[in-house]
Amino acid sequence: MFLLSLTLLPGPPISTCLPSLPTNIHIHLNDMSSERGKNIAEGSSLIADHHQPPTPSRYESQKRRDWNTFGQYLKNQRPPVPLSQCNSNHVLDFLRYLDQFGKTKVHLQGCRFYGQPEPPAPCICPLRQAWGSLDALIGRLRAAYEENGGSPESNPFATGAIRVYLREVRESQAKARGIPYKKQKKKPKQDKPSDESSSTLFFS
């Protein structure tokens, strides 16, 4: 039997025998990895933006709040009033109910400041909802009623009784506050009306 013995001779490390990658190749690989991560992040952002619903306008948000408030008012009646049975009388009661949250001073006929636009002293006359606020409110509710499945022919916010009430409020407030109502010229129609300070309703 013969024994074969091998003697390992000292030599250079194994790592030195392998060819090394040029520096520019390392940089190029790093750039590709960074670019790929950036593209993935941008793609995720686009997907998130695609699924995110658009933010409603101020008008749409106010209209939804008004509609919910009116619906809650009907539910609080005794007995509760279904929306399908709502009529102009319920709308008129709702407008009178809102007066308790008003912030517009309306002088009574017996008040010494009746008809004065800028009274010099305070008085005990009640606060009411301004006519402009009520008029804008009715416009939003009239649109919301039909958007929620109501028929234009049966719209309780578009009846003659509501128009008469708003006209009486406008004229009485103009006399009491000494501020004559001036009909503004009609502006070109826009896609959606914008909110103005005169159309703001105040609630407790």
Side-chain angles (χ1 to χ4, degrees), residues 44-114:
S44 301
S45 178
L46 290 174
I47 294 174
D49 294 340
H50 178 72
H51 290 287
Q52 185 176 3
T55 303
S57 65
R58 290 178 57 191
Y59 171 77
E60 292 296 332
S61 298
Q62 184 64 53
K63 182 171 59 176
R64 183 168 58 250
R65 287 194 296 268
D66 293 338
W67 181 249
N68 292 337
T69 300
F70 180 72
Q72 188 62 47
Y73 170 80
L74 294 180
K75 291 179 181 179
N76 292 340
Q77 302 304 300
R78 295 291 179 269
V81 180
L83 188 60
S84 59
Q85 300 179 12
C86 170
N87 56 43
S88 59
N89 290 329
H90 298 110
V91 177
L92 292 174
D93 290 341
F94 176 65
L95 295 179
R96 298 186 185 102
Y97 160 80
L98 293 177
D99 269 335
Q100 62 183 305
F101 308 113
K103 294 188 177 182
T104 298
K105 176 74 70 172
V106 179
H107 301 289
L108 303 177
Q109 288 189 359
C111 178
R112 56 178 177 155
F113 301 135
Y114 183 84

Side-chain angles (χ1 to χ4, degrees), residues 3 22 29 33 36 47 49 52 57 59 72 78 80 90 94 121 123 129 132 135 138 140 150 153 162 177 187 198 202:
L3 295 177
L29 292 175
S33 177
R36 183 181 179 185
I47 294 174
D49 294 340
Q52 185 176 3
S57 65
Y59 171 77
Q72 188 62 47
R78 295 291 179 269
H90 298 110
F94 176 65
C123 64
Q129 292 286 352
D135 185 62
I138 289 299
R140 292 190 294 268
E153 291 76 16
I162 303 301
R177 302 176 62 200
K187 297 180 180 180
S198 61
F202 299 95

